């Protein structure tokens, strides 16, 4: 198999791939010791595009920051082409800051007397066109469609004040290139101060100017990145939007809140179709809400959504206009005698992701990661224990609201591994191949192995007669049973796996950390 640095990793024939050796790659926005983090700077969304050449982050201040890959450009070709030659390539993906823009502003709903935060809940990349980047971003109520592209700078040139440089009537006389930055206009143009006010530096020739020439606007070779909002999709959700997801047809997308899922066309912002509605006639009868929704990666008529009761529903848009009836239901049967006050709370799924081939769905609840085969609805094919050590402290977690934290999950591009975040800025990577013991704990810092939890040689496993699920990553002796070594105020909620390589980007407060293997 191929490793994250482009080399070959030997694996036993027919056996599980070897565990990955994760290393620190980059950090953006690293804070110094004791530095206080501003609330608006905390990262709230991370997303790679399909090529893996661009990465977007959103924060609680409503900003979207874009990063672009640099190691491909430096070597003048894409990675696959370079692997076929003897040309030496970078050992891991490297990114640099590209641009940022203000996506959302704080608003106030006067009808409901509610403040609408500017916090970015989700970001999704759309198909590129003509060298421009397109992406969707959403806060609690409003989705926006952004276009980011390089535009050539326009300048005003050929002034009457410089007759010595004039070449003919109305021709461009001044150079487009400037040695110092100029004030930027709203339309992306620049203007020179020396032309807007009289100064001692401008000397009129003796006898005056023979003829006046109108200044002209010229396009320079210099470029700057411009982000423009193309569409605003608003007023379609009564409750907070928790998910947006692009369809593989490249034309439509869905948005989901607690009770409804709407289907949009990218080109139509004033109309959407309600395809799922779980709101009961009497709100007192409400027993579960929608927590996450995602389109199938290749089948444009299939999507999945999760609920607060720990179930994942697969629906087929071909069956009916309003998809209140699911085509498949994935839920793990509750073990007899295990029910408690916290059972439903910790069963609530906070995130779901399809694998690249669409065969598997990964779901994250408070305690575990579960991997579901869409062809087998009897139970998860694998269960990965993430927070089992916290079970004795559920009362404390309920009191401080930590039990309601929503952790995201992700799968590797090859589908062989899954990852999710935890407390103390830790995240865990599990191998999903049958027979593997890979269960790595890493810290979002420059030394990811500093708080490495030693996993036992034989992780805990149990075969359920109902689900036939494999449980991995159980509690090891290296972890304190009471969880005292973990800080519940620092949590790693958001992370993303590079689509083609073993590289993970994760957010720790306002810092973006990147790792490779």
């Amino acid at each position: 198999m191929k490793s994250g640095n482009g080399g070959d990793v030997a694996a036993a024939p027919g056996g599980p791939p070897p565990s990955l050796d994760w290393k620190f790659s980059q950090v953006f926005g690293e804070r110094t010791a004791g530095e206080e983090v501003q609330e608006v700077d905390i990262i709230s969304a991370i997303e790679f595009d399909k090529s893996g050449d661009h990465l977007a982050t959103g924060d609680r201040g409503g900003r979207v920051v874009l990063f672009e890959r640099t190691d491909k450009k430096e070597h003048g070709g894409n990675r696959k082409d370079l692997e076929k030659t003897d040309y030496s390539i970078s050992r891991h993906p490297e990114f640099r800051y590209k641009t940022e823009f203000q996506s959302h502003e704080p608003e106030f709903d006067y009808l409901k007397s509610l403040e609408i935060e500017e916090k970015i809940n989700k970001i999704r990349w759309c198909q590129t066109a003509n060298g421009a980047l397109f992406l969707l971003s959403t806060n609690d109520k409003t989705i926006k469609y952004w276009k980011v592209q390089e535009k050539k700078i326009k300048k005003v040139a050929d002034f009457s004040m410089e007759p010595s440089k004039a070449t003919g009537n109305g021709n461009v006389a001044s150079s487009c290139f400037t040695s110092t930055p100029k004030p930027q206009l709203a339309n992306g143009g620049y203007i020179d101060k020396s032309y807007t006010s009289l100064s001692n530096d401008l000397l009129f020739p003796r006898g005056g100017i023979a003829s006046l020439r109108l200044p002209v606007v010229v396009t320079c070779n210099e470029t700057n990145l411009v982000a423009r909002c193309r569409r605003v999709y608003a007023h379609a959700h009564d409750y907070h939007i928790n998910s947006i997801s692009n369809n593989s047809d490249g034309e439509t997308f869905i948005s989901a809140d607690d009770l409804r899922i709407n289907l949009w066309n990218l080109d139509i912002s004033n109309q959407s179709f309600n395809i799922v509605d779980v709101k009961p006639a009497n709100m007192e009868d409400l027993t579960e809400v929608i927590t996450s929704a995602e389109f199938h990666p290749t089948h444009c008529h299939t999507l999945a959504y999760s609920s607060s009761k720990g179930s994942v529903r697969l629906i087929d848009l071909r069956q009916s206009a309003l998809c209140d009836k699911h085509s498949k239901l994935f839920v793990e049967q509750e073990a007899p005698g295990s029910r408690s006050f916290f059972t439903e709370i910790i069963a609530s799924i906070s995130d779901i992701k399809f694998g690249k081939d669409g065969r598997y769905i990964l779901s994250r609840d408070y305690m575990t990661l579960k991997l579901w085969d869409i062809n087998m609805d009897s139970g998860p094919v694998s269960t990965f224990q993430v927070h089992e050590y916290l079970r004795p402290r559920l009362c404390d977690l309920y009191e401080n609201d930590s039990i309601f934290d929503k952790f995201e999950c992700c799968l590797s591009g090859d589908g062989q591994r899954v990852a999710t975040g935890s407390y103390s800025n830790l995240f865990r990577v599990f191998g999903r191949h049958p027979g593997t013991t890979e269960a790595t704990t890493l810290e979002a810092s420059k030394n990811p192995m500093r708080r490495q939890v030693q996993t036992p040689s034989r992780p805990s496993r149990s075969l359920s007669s109902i689900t036939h699920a494999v449980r991995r990553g159980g509690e090891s002796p290296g972890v304190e049973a009471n969880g005292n070594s973990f800080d519940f105020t620092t949590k790693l909620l958001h992370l993303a796996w590079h689509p083609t390589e073993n590289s993970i980007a994760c957010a720790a407060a306002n810092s973006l950390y990147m790792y490779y293997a």
Side-chain angles (χ1 to χ4, degrees):
M1 65 172 285
K2 292 286 184 183
S3 71
N5 59 6
D8 289 330
V9 176
S19 299
L20 295 178
D21 180 21
W22 291 94
K23 298 180 179 65
F24 170 79
S25 173
Q26 291 173 278
V27 58
F28 296 94
E30 184 183 23
R31 62 186 185 276
T32 58
E35 180 185 354
E36 187 175 348
V37 178
Q38 299 296 318
E39 180 81 10
V40 293
D41 294 331
I42 296 176
I43 296 173
S44 56
I46 301 178
E47 186 78 6
F48 280 104
D49 70 349
K50 283 187 177 181
S51 68
D53 292 339
H54 292 92
L55 174 68
T57 65
D59 62 27
R60 294 188 183 180
R63 292 164 298 197
V64 173
V65 183
L66 304 185
F67 301 87
E68 66 177 349
R69 187 166 177 174
T70 59
D71 55 322
K72 281 187 177 181
K73 288 187 176 182
E74 290 169 358
H75 295 125
N78 65 57
R79 197 178 187 90
K80 288 184 178 179
D81 291 340
L82 292 173
E83 283 178 348
K84 297 175 184 177
T85 69
D86 293 332
Y87 200 100
S88 61
I89 62 173
S90 176
R91 59 198 175 100
H92 61 89
E94 292 180 355
F95 287 79
R96 71 180 174 194
Y97 170 86
K98 185 178 179 74
T99 188
E100 68 179 87
F101 56 91
Q102 188 71 33
S103 174
H104 288 73
E105 301 280 358
E107 300 175 51
F108 190 81
D109 187 334
Y110 293 97
L111 291 176
K112 298 181 179 179
S113 296
L114 288 175
E115 290 185 8
I116 303 173
E117 290 182 330
E118 65 270 35
K119 185 189 105 174
I120 304 296
N121 289 344
K122 296 289 180 181
I123 296 173
R124 290 293 181 265
W125 289 91
C126 303
Q127 293 179 356
T128 59
N130 300 323
L133 303 173
F134 295 87
L135 64 156
L136 290 166
S137 62
T138 184
N139 64 354
D140 286 339
K141 295 290 184 181
T142 306
I143 308 160
K144 294 186 179 181
Y145 183 46
W146 291 91
K147 178 182 181 180
V148 182
Q149 68 177 153
E150 288 188 347
K151 285 199 170 184
K152 289 191 174 181
I153 296 171
K154 292 182 178 180
K155 283 185 60 177
V156 180
D158 197 13
F159 286 83
S160 296
M161 279 73 163
E162 296 179 317
S164 60
K165 295 183 181 180
T167 57
N169 185 19
N171 290 338
V172 176
S174 62
S175 169
C176 289
F177 296 97
T178 57
S179 58
T180 57
K182 301 292 191 298
Q184 187 173 358
L185 299 176
N187 62 1
Y190 286 79
I191 196 162
D192 196 320
K193 275 189 176 181
S194 61
Y195 301 141
T196 61
S197 60
L198 292 175
S199 104
N200 293 331
D201 297 332
L202 297 175
L203 298 177
F204 288 89
R206 290 182 180 181
I209 299 174
S211 63
L212 290 174
R213 295 181 306 278
L214 289 175
V216 294
V217 177
V218 295
T219 302
C220 304
N221 291 326
E222 297 177 20
T223 61
N224 65 339
L225 280 165
V226 177
R228 191 159 63 93
C229 184
R230 297 288 304 276
R231 306 269 191 283
V232 177
Y233 313 91
H235 312 302
H237 289 277
D238 292 330
Y239 303 93
H240 290 177
I241 298 171
N242 54 48
S243 304
I244 53 175
S245 178
N246 303 91
N247 197 343
S248 58
D249 62 11
E251 297 179 357
T252 56
F253 71 93
I254 55 169
S255 59
D257 64 21
D258 291 343
L259 299 180
R260 293 186 177 96
I261 300 176
N262 292 332
L263 177 68
W264 301 83
N265 188 298
L266 281 169
D267 294 328
I268 303 172
S269 60
N270 60 356
Q271 185 181 36
S272 65
F273 295 95
N274 179 224
I275 55 175
V276 175
D277 188 348
V278 300
K279 184 179 180 180
N282 185 354
M283 285 295 283
E284 291 182 359
D285 298 331
L286 182 68
T287 58
E288 64 180 330
V289 296
I290 299 168
T291 57
S292 183
E294 179 157 305
F295 259 120
H296 190 282
T298 56
H299 297 165
C300 61
H301 53 79
T302 303
L303 64 94
Y305 70 92
S306 59
S307 82
S308 57
K309 279 196 168 181
S311 63
V312 178
R313 290 174 171 85
L314 204 65
I315 62 174
D316 192 332
L317 298 177
R318 299 171 299 181
Q319 290 183 342
S320 63
L322 187 61
C323 303
D324 285 341
K325 293 184 178 179
H326 51 266
S327 57
K328 286 191 177 180
L329 173 66
F330 305 96
V331 62
E332 187 171 27
Q333 299 300 321
E334 194 176 302
S338 63
R339 190 166 186 82
S340 71
F341 172 78
F342 304 108
T343 299
E344 284 196 11
I345 300 175
I346 61 176
S348 177
I349 295 175
S350 56
D351 190 29
I352 59 170
K353 291 286 194 311
F354 271 102
K356 196 172 183 179
D357 60 359
R359 170 75 182 272
Y360 295 97
I361 299 174
L362 181 67
S363 67
R364 171 69 152 99
D365 57 47
Y366 190 73
M367 305 298 284
T368 66
L369 273 173
K370 292 185 175 73
L371 191 70
W372 308 82
D373 186 334
I374 65 171
N375 297 326
M376 190 184 87
D377 54 7
S378 58
V381 293
S382 297
T383 299
F384 309 93
Q385 301 296 334
V386 181
H387 281 164
E388 188 60 33
Y389 65 91
L390 293 177
R391 197 172 289 276
R393 300 197 60 179
L394 290 178
C395 285
D396 298 333
L397 294 165
Y398 179 77
E399 289 294 328
N400 62 23
D401 286 342
S402 293
I403 200 170
F404 301 105
D405 289 334
K406 300 183 184 303
F407 293 92
E408 293 180 0
C409 59
C410 58
L411 295 94
S412 61
D414 59 8
Q416 293 299 315
R417 293 173 179 85
V418 298
T420 190
S422 182
Y423 294 104
S424 300
N425 285 339
L426 300 177
F427 65 99
R428 305 201 70 185
V429 180
F430 300 93
R432 74 158 196 87
H433 197 282
T436 186
T437 60
E438 183 176 2
T440 310
T441 302
L442 304 155
E443 181 184 34
S445 68
K446 287 187 175 180
N447 182 10
M449 296 296 183
R450 182 174 65 180
R451 297 183 60 170
Q452 173 69 24
V453 177
Q454 297 298 323
T455 54
S457 57
R458 290 187 178 181
S460 59
R461 296 166 179 265
S462 64
L463 287 176
S464 167
S465 59
I466 299 176
T467 64
H468 304 285
V470 180
R471 298 183 177 270
R472 290 201 292 276
E475 190 50 45
S476 67
V479 178
E480 292 184 17
N482 58 11
N484 285 336
S485 61
F486 290 83
D487 180 5
F488 299 112
T489 61
T490 57
K491 41 200 149 193
L492 199 151
L493 301 176
H494 312 286
L495 77 171
W497 201 303
H498 191 281
T500 59
E501 301 177 34
N502 287 323
S503 177
I504 290 178
C506 57
N510 65 328
S511 302
L512 176 67
Y513 287 91
M514 304 192 73
Y515 303 91
Y516 71 98

